[in-house]
Amino acid sequence: MSRVQAESVIKTIIREIAQQCASKGQSVSETLAAFMVKCVVLDPRNHFNVDRTLTKQDIQKLIELCVDRLLDQSSPALDTIKMQIYFDMNYTTRREFAEEHQRARKTRLQTACREVTDSRAKTREDLVELYRKVVGYVLLHSGVGAASNIRNVREATAALQSVFPQSDLASFMSLPKQNKEQQLNKLSAVVTGIRLFNKDGEHGGQDIDDLPGVLNDALPTISRDIEAELKGTQQLAWQYTALLESLSGPDADRAVRPDLLREALYNVRQHEAFLKLLLADVTLCATQVEALQTALAARMRLLKTTVHSKSAVPTSQVFPHFTVLANLWAELQEELLLLSMLSGLASSLRPFLSAQPSELERLLQGVVVKTDLERAEESRVDPDEMKSCEWLLPETTANFDKLPLQYRGMCGHALIARDGTLLPGNPRIGVLKHKEKFYCFSSKQAALQFASAADECVELVAEQVTRSPELIQLLRMHRHFSSVSTYAQVTPITQGMQSGETLLVKPISRSDSSTQTDTHLLECNVVKSYEWNEWELRRQAIRLANLRRKVTRSMQTDLSHMRRANSTQTYPPKDTGTQTKREGQSNVPRPLIYLAGLRGKDGTSTRVTKVDLTRAADQ
């Protein structure tokens, strides 16, 4: 079974799942259906064995299991999976967001730029219209003020005329297209800087938004909102953890389903992880905005000092300042858009929470709720107690807080010892380094027990995760399951496929690599004056002879007088033909003219006789 056939079969299964869910009134995206197929195949309780060929009944069972899970609206696990998919589809890093913003901006400006660069204006009216298009491009490129506002258009036109008068359009149109685009971008930056400088000096720019003020007001508000939501999510996580611990005692409420509580705990822990990531991005955004505002104010002061009490300033001194102002302002605009995306994403995650506060209040009666800090133990691991393992402690490890902890900092021992309960680890107890991976634990006892059989515990954690596939992303175990072949691959699902073939293809691992070699391993003896080309040698010989400074002399003897032989090299005319609808050809007679008496005779004057021997055209 080829890769193309496998992908076609997978798409057919996903499409069938989506259609059955739609027929039952539930709209499901193909991304969610594909992830659910992976979850069902990973779960060992469904018994999808790779050692045999799946029959049509197995295919139907796979589709039914996926449809049942997708239609279970009361499942916290489904809400967690939807949250993960939504976050992956909408969240981007700062670098990716900046690149996407630049691409979108370039696409938006492409039409306006083409109208200017492809213009062939000749009349006066055409030149006026072209100048208006240049002003429109400048406004659209800068994003400073709306292009529909007449006051913004007038300010942009006045600023553009001060650096690019309409009389310069002729020289502008003579430039190549690439140079025109570069010139437009430079003019846009300079005009934007002039308008920002005028706004700061209160000489215009009333319709330009106070971007620093907007950011200063929005950043604290968004941070407080995310922190408040994060606090509420953490409170839910502590409550679910306390309920799960209370169910393990003898006085447990048998009416409560522990599996639903664990799924709800995974749901709030995933929401907590996403909110922490968004809050970190907002904090970084605040730091970046502060640095940009400081640089903007410093550049504005420097520009004022440059142009202060001067009637004329060279463009080479002020244009770079205007360009820097425009670039700083553009970066502030990107920060505002990024902040808006982060705020909207944090708000969009709320519907995926499956918590029910009214039920929790009833179940929490008589249960002591502890925070993560209260659960953290301070007793540390003594490396001498288990010398066969490598332990990292805060005092002896550089950049201890930046260690890439496994399971997103959760305790792996609690996950297997407490039947899937998530407890945050405390790195200060001691971090176990095992096979170049770092593990932290919720207690000293858990750390010692995990370290005594680390390989076995890692496999037990993986087995626990296969029963709850939403933990794959929550605990960041994608790489672990990319190499699993037992349940991560779907076996052939049509008759005629061999048992060794697979449906889900393993991801291709890629890594950056480089090799450095010596340019010349052996010593080279290159004669740079060597030349093999014959014509180059002739050229050098002529240059050495330098005939322009030489005098050519000649003489005749009695034997050569009036008897010198001349020769001329010519190319005879070629017969040409033309292909027409009717076959035929014609050829003009070749002219033949003979000159007699050129050599002359002794004692007589030279008389030249011209004889025309050319045939007539009709012969």
Side-chain angles (χ1 to χ4, degrees), residues 87 230 233 267-279 349 408 410 473-474 476:
F87 191 84
L230 177 60
T233 301
N267 181 266
V268 294
R269 285 296 184 184
Q270 183 65 83
H271 189 248
E272 177 189 7
F274 287 155
L275 288 181
K276 286 183 177 179
L277 180 59
L278 294 177
L279 185 60
L349 294 178
R408 202 188 286 264
M410 295 294 176
Q473 180 167 344
L474 176 58
R476 295 175 180 171

Side-chain angles (χ1 to χ4, degrees), residues 529-542:
S529 60
Y530 172 76
E531 183 58 55
W532 61 270
N533 194 328
E534 178 184 356
W535 294 101
E536 179 63 21
L537 293 174
R538 291 185 179 186
R539 188 185 66 81
Q540 294 178 5
I542 293 173

Side-chain angles (χ1 to χ4, degrees), residues 98-341:
E99 293 175 354
E100 182 64 27
H101 177 67
Q102 293 297 332
R103 285 194 296 266
R105 184 183 181 186
K106 186 176 181 180
T107 303
R108 187 178 68 252
L109 294 172
Q110 190 172 5
T111 303
C113 181
R114 191 183 301 113
E115 291 179 355
V116 176
T117 56
D118 296 347
S119 177
R120 298 294 182 266
K122 297 181 179 179
T123 63
R124 182 179 180 85
E125 291 76 10
D126 294 341
L127 292 174
V128 172
E129 182 63 25
L130 177 60
Y131 199 78
R132 291 177 181 172
K133 292 180 180 179
V134 174
V135 175
Y137 177 85
V138 169
L139 283 172
L140 190 61
H141 183 274
S142 64
V144 179
S148 58
N149 191 330
I150 188 62
R151 187 183 300 176
N152 289 328
V153 176
R154 289 175 180 175
E155 290 180 0
T157 304
L160 182 62
Q161 287 177 349
S162 63
V163 297
F164 182 72
Q166 192 171 349
S167 58
D168 292 346
L169 278 177
S171 59
F172 173 79
M173 294 181 62
S174 63
L175 297 174
K177 183 175 181 179
Q178 185 176 3
N179 294 350
K180 287 181 182 179
E181 295 177 357
Q182 295 176 358
Q183 187 73 9
L184 281 176
N185 294 333
K186 291 180 181 179
L187 288 174
S188 300
V190 172
V191 170
T192 304
I194 293 175
R195 295 185 63 198
L196 295 174
F197 179 73
N198 292 337
K199 174 180 173 59
D200 187 75
E202 298 181 354
H203 298 297
Q206 290 81 3
D207 297 321
I208 299 176
D209 296 332
D210 184 12
L211 195 55
V214 173
L215 287 169
N216 292 335
D217 294 339
L219 279 169
T221 303
I222 295 176
S223 297
R224 285 195 300 268
D225 293 343
I226 296 180
E227 288 175 355
E229 193 164 358
L230 177 60
K231 185 177 180 180
T233 301
Q234 290 176 336
Q235 184 68 29
L236 289 174
W238 302 335
Q239 293 175 354
Y240 281 125
T241 304
L243 281 176
L244 284 172
E245 290 179 342
S246 65
L247 293 179
S248 60
D251 299 333
D253 187 357
R254 301 304 176 186
V256 181
R257 294 177 54 186
D259 55 341
L260 289 180
L261 284 180
R262 278 192 296 271
E263 292 179 1
L265 177 61
Y266 301 158
N267 181 266
V268 294
R269 285 296 184 184
Q270 183 65 83
H271 189 248
E272 177 189 7
F274 287 155
L275 288 181
K276 286 183 177 179
L277 180 59
L278 294 177
L279 185 60
D281 287 344
V282 172
T283 304
L284 182 59
C285 186
T287 304
Q288 187 69 15
V289 167
E290 183 179 359
L292 289 174
Q293 290 182 359
T294 303
L296 184 67
R299 182 64 60 171
M300 195 70 72
R301 290 193 299 268
L302 182 59
L303 186 56
K304 289 180 180 180
T305 304
T306 304
V307 301
H308 181 65
S309 67
K310 294 182 181 179
S311 57
V313 183
T315 57
S316 60
Q317 296 183 9
V318 294
F319 278 15
H321 296 301
F322 290 142
T323 303
V324 173
L325 281 180
N327 293 335
L328 292 174
W329 194 266
E331 292 184 18
L332 285 175
Q333 290 174 333
E334 287 187 4
E335 294 297 331
L336 182 60
L337 293 175
L338 177 61
L339 195 62
S340 177
M341 184 271 291

Side-chain angles (χ1 to χ4, degrees), residues 377-388:
E377 297 184 3
E378 294 299 332
S379 57
R380 298 186 178 184
V381 174
D382 187 2
D384 295 334
E385 295 181 12
M386 192 173 290
K387 296 182 179 180
S388 59

Side-chain angles (χ1 to χ4, degrees), residues 493-533:
I493 60 174
T494 57
Q495 297 294 339
M497 297 181 184
Q498 301 300 323
S499 61
E501 298 172 341
T502 59
L503 253 181
L504 297 181
V505 184
K506 292 183 180 181
I508 301 175
S509 301
R510 293 182 175 88
S511 61
D512 295 334
S513 62
S514 61
T515 304
Q516 182 178 0
T517 58
D518 294 334
T519 306
H520 299 289
L521 298 178
L522 300 178
E523 182 180 358
C524 59
N525 297 314
V526 179
V527 180
K528 297 184 179 180
S529 60
Y530 172 76
E531 183 58 55
W532 61 270
N533 194 328

